[in-house]
Amino acid sequence: MIPFSPPYIDKEVIDEVVDTLQSGWITTGPKVKALEEEIADFIGIPNVLCVNSWTSGAIMVLKWLGLQEGDEVIIPAYTYSATALAVIHAGGKPIMVDVDDDFNMNPEMFRNAVTPKTKAVIPVDFAGYPCKYQEIYDIANDSKVIQLYNPTSDIQKKLGRILVLSDAAHSLGARYQNKGIGHKADVAIFSLHAVKNVTTAEGGAIAINMPLPFSNEDLYADLRLMTLNCQTKDAYSKSQGGNWKYDITGLGMKINMADLNAAMGLAQMRVYPELLQRRKEVFERYLKNFEKIDWIICPNMHFEGKESSCHLFPLRIKGITGNQRDAIIREITNLGVSVNVHFIPLPMLTFFKGLGYDIADYPKAYENFITEISLPIYPQLTDEEINKISSSIISSYGKVVETYAKIVG
Ligand SMILES: *Cc1c(COP(=O)(O)O)cnc(C)c1O
C-alpha cells in the first residue's frame, strides 16, 4: 500500500530528538527557540511563536483580540473544522462564505458578509495555494468596511479594522507576491501536525506581523506568556537556579510547545528547501501525467504571482457525482494506493448542521467536494510510485464510469 502522508523522519530527525532526550531538558527551551528562529528566517517575518497546535494558537490569538459573545469571524465553508472550532472556543460565531474554483475564500463574499459585529477574517491557503490576500487585505482596509467596524476591546481599538488572521496550516513554504506567507496578514498560523509539510508530531507556529502602533516584539513576549498560563517565569528560567519567584499576570492557556517536539521540526527545517523542491517535482510529475486527460482538473501550482507549498494534490474529476467519486476511491484503494478527500465542507458535518449552517448556501464548496480526490504527495515518493498512483486514477475512473454507463443503460 502506498501511504497517503507519512512523516519525514531521517537520521538527522532521530538524532535531534535523541539529543534532546540526553540533554536533560525536554520541554519548552532552547530547541523551541531555535525552531522559531528557523521558521522566522525561512518566511522572512522576525517574530514567530511556537505552540502545541494550530488550533490552540488560533484560539489564543482570537482570545487576545477580545472576542465577545455575538462577535463574528468570517471563514470559508471549505476548510478543516479547526478553523471554525477555534472561533467558537474563543467565544465568537463563525460566518461561513463560499469559495472559488481554487478552493479558497471568495473575497467579494467576505465583503458582503461584513457586519458591525465582524472582528476578524480567517482565509485559508487550501492545499498550500495562497488565497487572495491582497483583495482580502484591501477589503479589511476599505473605508466603507472600516465605517461598519465597532471595536469592543482595547486591542480592537488599537487595530482600527478587521483582523486578517491567515489559516496557513498548509502553506509553510508557499510564496505570495514573492514573499513568504504572513506578509499580507496580521497574523498567520502554520500547523506542524504530523501530516503537514514540516512536523513536530503536534504543533503550530504563529507569525506575528501586526501593523503599527503594535510592537511585534512586545506582542511575541505577551503571547508567549499567554501560552504558559501567564506565568512570568517559564520552567526553563526557573531551572537555572536562584530564580524561583514568579507571578501569574492574567488568564493564560497552557499551549506551549515542548523541546522534544521542536527537535523534530528543527531537523526538518534544516532540509526543508530540498524537501519542498522534491514536493514540487512530485506535483509537476502529476501535472505531466495528467496533461492529456481532459476529465481531470489539476490544482494550481504557480499562478497569479502565487507559488504553492504543494501540501496537497487535490484533483477534481469533471462531471462525476459524489457516489461515483466514492466508487473511484474504492477502486484506487483496491489497487494499493491511499488517497483522501479534503475536506468535507463544514456545513455537511453534524455539529455545524446543528448550528444551522446549510450546504445549499455554498454551491461551489459542494461542487468542489463531490468531485475531489487528494493524491499522496511527499518527498519520499519515487517516480515509479507517482506513475502507479497516476495510472490507478485513470483505470479506476474508466472502470467506474463504464459500470455506471451500463447501469444507466
Ligand atoms: C491541519 C489543519 C488545521 C489544524 O491544525 P492542528 O495543528 O492540527 O490544530 C487547521 N486548518 C487547516 C486548514 C488544517 O488543514
Side-chain angles (χ1 to χ4, degrees):
M1 198 79 190
I2 299 177
F4 181 70
S5 180
Y8 182 83
I9 297 172
D10 63 0
K11 187 171 177 306
E12 274 69 33
V13 172
I14 293 168
D15 286 350
E16 196 66 48
V17 172
V18 170
D19 179 68
T20 311
L21 287 169
Q22 289 173 337
S23 75
W25 191 260
I26 54 174
T27 189
T28 313
K31 300 262 165 145
V32 169
K33 191 82 209 136
L35 176 61
E36 290 175 347
E37 280 164 11
E38 283 281 343
I39 295 174
D41 282 352
F42 182 72
I43 59 175
I45 292 179
N47 292 285
V48 172
L49 172 68
C50 281
V51 287
N52 64 3
S53 74
W54 182 97
T55 306
S56 60
I59 295 170
M60 179 179 68
V61 169
L62 291 170
K63 278 180 184 279
W64 165 80
L65 185 65
L67 285 195
Q68 289 177 348
E69 200 178 320
D71 280 349
E72 297 174 350
V73 176
I74 299 171
I75 67 168
Y78 207 101
T79 180
Y80 179 59
S81 57
T83 320
L85 297 175
V87 174
I88 298 172
H89 277 299
K93 181 178 183 209
I95 301 296
M96 298 182 191
V97 298
D98 209 356
V99 294
D100 286 326
D101 202 50
D102 64 4
F103 296 87
N104 285 337
M105 175 184 277
N106 177 299
E108 283 312 305
M109 291 187 182
F110 156 47
R111 185 199 297 276
N112 295 334
V114 172
T115 75
K117 291 179 182 161
T118 309
K119 296 298 165 65
V121 58
I122 313 184
V124 179
D125 298 326
F126 179 80
Y129 187 68
C131 66
K132 297 181 182 68
Y133 283 110
Q134 188 64 55
E135 287 86 338
I136 289 166
Y137 209 70
D138 288 348
I139 292 167
N141 282 288
D142 184 311
S143 58
K144 285 201 199 89
V145 171
I146 289 177
Q147 263 172 28
L148 282 180
Y149 187 63
N150 179 29
T152 49
S153 76
D154 290 345
I155 304 277
Q156 291 169 20
K157 282 184 195 127
K158 195 167 165 183
L159 179 60
R161 60 160 171 79
I162 294 169
L163 179 89
V164 180
L165 169 56
S166 155
D167 180 341
H170 297 177
S171 53
L172 185 62
R175 308 280 293 171
Y176 183 82
Q177 295 178 347
N178 234 349
K179 288 186 174 146
I181 295 300
H183 286 270
K184 268 281 177 253
D186 300 313
V187 178
I189 310 181
F190 303 96
S191 172
L192 304 172
H193 176 265
V195 300
K196 303 298 183 346
N197 284 20
V198 171
T199 181
T200 55
E202 297 286 351
I206 306 173
I208 307 165
N209 186 42
M210 295 290 289
L212 290 169
F214 287 93
S215 153
N216 290 313
E217 225 175 294
D218 291 352
L219 199 48
Y220 168 89
D222 291 351
L223 291 176
R224 187 172 191 282
L225 204 66
M226 207 171 160
T227 67
L228 286 155
N229 284 331
C230 285
Q231 178 172 312
T232 51
K233 249 165 236 159
D234 64 15
Y236 189 71
S237 44
K238 281 171 63 192
S239 77
Q240 304 300 299
N243 205 12
W244 58 271
K245 275 192 187 162
Y246 64 88
D247 193 13
I248 300 290
T249 56
L251 178 62
M253 297 166 73
K254 187 60 174 55
I255 61 168
N256 53 306
M257 178 183 281
D259 267 19
L260 199 50
N261 291 87
M264 282 185 73
L266 191 55
Q268 290 183 359
M269 277 308 291
R270 289 188 192 124
V271 289
Y272 188 43
E274 291 107 84
L275 300 181
L276 191 56
Q277 185 51 39
R278 179 59 193 158
R279 275 184 181 272
K280 289 181 181 175
E281 286 165 19
V282 174
F283 201 105
E284 274 167 344
R285 185 168 275 267
Y286 280 135
L287 292 181
K288 192 152 191 328
N289 286 351
F290 298 137
E291 196 173 44
K292 298 216 168 68
I293 297 175
D294 60 3
W295 47 265
I296 289 183
I297 305 169
C298 285
N300 289 330
M301 184 170 172
H302 25 233
F303 190 55
E304 303 168 321
K306 301 172 184 178
E307 210 174 311
S308 177
S309 64
C310 299
H311 173 57
L312 300 172
F313 193 91
L315 67 71
R316 278 169 295 167
I317 300 179
K318 278 184 198 160
I320 56 165
T321 64
N323 285 339
Q324 284 176 312
R325 186 272 313 272
D326 298 352
I328 293 169
I329 289 180
R330 281 194 294 274
E331 291 297 332
I332 297 169
T333 310
N334 289 339
L335 293 170
V337 175
S338 314
V339 292
N340 246 303
V341 173
H342 292 87
F343 293 101
I344 302 174
L346 303 186
M348 297 179 75
L349 301 168
T350 304
F351 177 65
F352 298 106
K353 273 197 270 191
L355 293 177
Y357 300 94
D358 183 352
I359 190 63
D361 297 329
Y362 310 95
K364 189 67 197 174
Y366 184 72
E367 184 197 323
N368 282 350
F369 162 66
I370 62 166
T371 59
E372 199 268 354
I373 300 175
S374 298
L375 306 188
I377 177 164
Y378 42 91
Q380 308 93 305
L381 275 177
T382 65
D383 289 352
E384 293 70 46
E385 286 173 322
I386 302 164
N387 292 344
K388 178 181 165 181
I389 296 163
S390 306
S391 54
S392 78
I393 301 290
I394 295 167
S395 64
S396 300
Y397 170 83
K399 203 163 160 188
V400 167
V401 170
E402 257 169 49
T403 312
Y404 271 71
K406 271 185 209 141
I407 295 169
V408 176

